[in-house]
Each structure stands twice: as structure tokens, then as C-alpha cells.
Amino acid sequence: MTLRTIVTLPEPILRRKAKPVTKFDKNLQTLIDDMIETMRDAPGVGLAAPQVNVPEQLIVVEYSEEDEDEGIEGAEKITPAPKKLFVMINPEIVKASDEMVMGVEGCLSIPGLVGEVERHQALQLKGLNRHGKPMKLKVDGWLARIFQHEIDHVNGVLFTDRAKRVWKPEPDEEEDRV
Ligand code: ZN
């Protein structure tokens, strides 16, 4: 596996709609493994292929639900749930909740900036797994947010397009980057 370079603004690929994946060959498997390694190394909780300069509709997400409780004051330190890894090809949002939630996001492709973004609280997704087999997924909460951020990436949309406001984070202000 190889670490890939994460491209940042103003790299034009971040603004282009990516192409659907049609070939599930060895090169694709290498790309997926490289993206997982690159996401973990960054570190980030999600990565889309255009962020490593590949104009294809492919995302990886790795997240532990327990991460959400970390900043809560007085919360007991519980053993974190194992992280769940998702690989989704040609992802599509089938259904999105009417309920919207606000949260603060950062992006590996936009260093030094975070923003407050409204996202659907829950989603139903469909796509293909790494071997080209159809897959369906129901996600909510922070995981749903990560998927919306990554699916935006394959459509050339960035969180700054949707943010109500953006700012430079304080050194101690850490957000999950995706
Ligand atoms: Zn991003």
C-alpha cells in the first residue's frame, strides 16, 4: 500500500463531478487500499477519490460511534466501539431525513478552515462494494454527516459551499476532518 497525496484547494479536480466506476480491476483494489491508508495516516474519518486526484466516484469512511461522546464533560471514559470501515462506490442518497442538524466540519482538502454546516440527520444510501456488488446502508448522526460530506466531494461540492459560517479554528479546537 502507498500513501497518496491529498490535494487541496484550489486544485480544480475538487470542483469537478467524478465519473462512475465501471471497472472493478486490480488497479481499483490498489486505489481503495491506498485511500484507506491515506485516510488513516492523515488522520481523517473519510476520504473521496477526487481528494487523491482520481476523478472517480469512490469514497472510504472509517468511524467509531463512540467518538461522538468524547468532548462531553463528565462523561465516563468508555471503551471506544471498534471503528467501522466503509468502502462505497458510485454512492447515491436514496432517502434523506427531513430533520436537519448543525455541526462543525473540517476538510482534509481545505486545511486551516472549519465551518458550521447543516446536514440531514439520517440517510439511506445505495452503491456498490469494492467487488461491484450492490450494497445498501442506513446511517444517522455523525456518520450520516461524513457520508454527505464525501458524496459532495464526488460531485465537486465542498463544505464551504454549504457552511453558514466558516472560521480558522483555535489550536485547541479539533474537528474530524474528511
Ligand atoms: Zn472533505
Side-chain angles (χ1 to χ4, degrees):
M1 290 197 281
T2 319
L3 287 180
R4 306 255 178 151
T5 304
I6 296 176
V7 299
T8 55
L9 277 183
E11 189 60 54
I13 194 169
L14 294 169
R15 286 303 189 181
R16 274 188 226 129
K17 196 170 160 56
K19 288 193 288 278
V21 173
T22 52
K23 266 196 232 162
F24 293 82
D25 55 8
K26 220 176 154 191
N27 283 344
L28 181 74
Q29 304 309 319
T30 305
L31 172 64
I32 291 168
D33 291 335
D34 288 354
M35 281 177 60
I36 293 167
E37 198 187 359
T38 305
M39 168 180 67
R40 287 174 176 165
D41 179 75
V45 292
L47 196 67
Q51 293 181 278
V52 293
N53 216 14
V54 177
E56 290 181 11
Q57 295 179 18
L58 160 60
I59 65 173
V60 296
V61 171
E62 190 171 49
Y63 182 65
S64 151
E65 290 294 343
E66 244 66 28
D67 287 351
E68 248 176 301
D69 298 332
E70 266 179 3
I72 296 174
E73 229 170 299
E76 297 237 354
K77 200 76 188 158
I78 39 174
T79 314
K83 287 186 178 177
K84 266 194 207 155
L85 176 66
F86 301 91
V87 174
M88 207 170 199
I89 293 163
N90 306 341
E92 272 178 62
I93 295 174
V94 181
K95 220 169 142 184
S97 66
D98 292 332
E99 190 192 340
M100 306 293 286
V101 282
M102 199 64 102
V104 178
E105 293 179 19
C107 179
L108 293 166
S109 297
I110 313 177
L113 217 56
V114 295
E116 209 169 34
V117 188
E118 200 172 44
R119 299 282 191 188
H120 296 284
Q121 198 275 333
L123 299 176
Q124 282 181 35
L125 300 160
K126 70 167 189 179
L128 303 172
N129 73 9
R130 62 187 297 162
H131 306 295
K133 295 238 167 70
M135 64 184 279
K136 282 183 183 169
L137 211 55
K138 276 187 185 177
V139 289
D140 59 15
W142 206 262
L143 193 53
R145 173 173 298 276
I146 298 168
F147 272 96
Q148 285 166 87
H149 182 115
E150 299 312 331
I151 291 172
D152 272 353
H153 270 306
V154 298
N155 289 307
V157 175
L158 300 171
F159 84 90
T160 44
D161 302 337
R162 300 190 185 274
K164 305 278 177 198
R165 64 191 183 97
V166 294
W167 65 92
K168 288 194 166 77
E170 298 294 325
D172 62 345
E173 191 178 1
E174 281 231 358
E175 298 303 332
D176 288 334
R177 295 186 304 162
V178 280

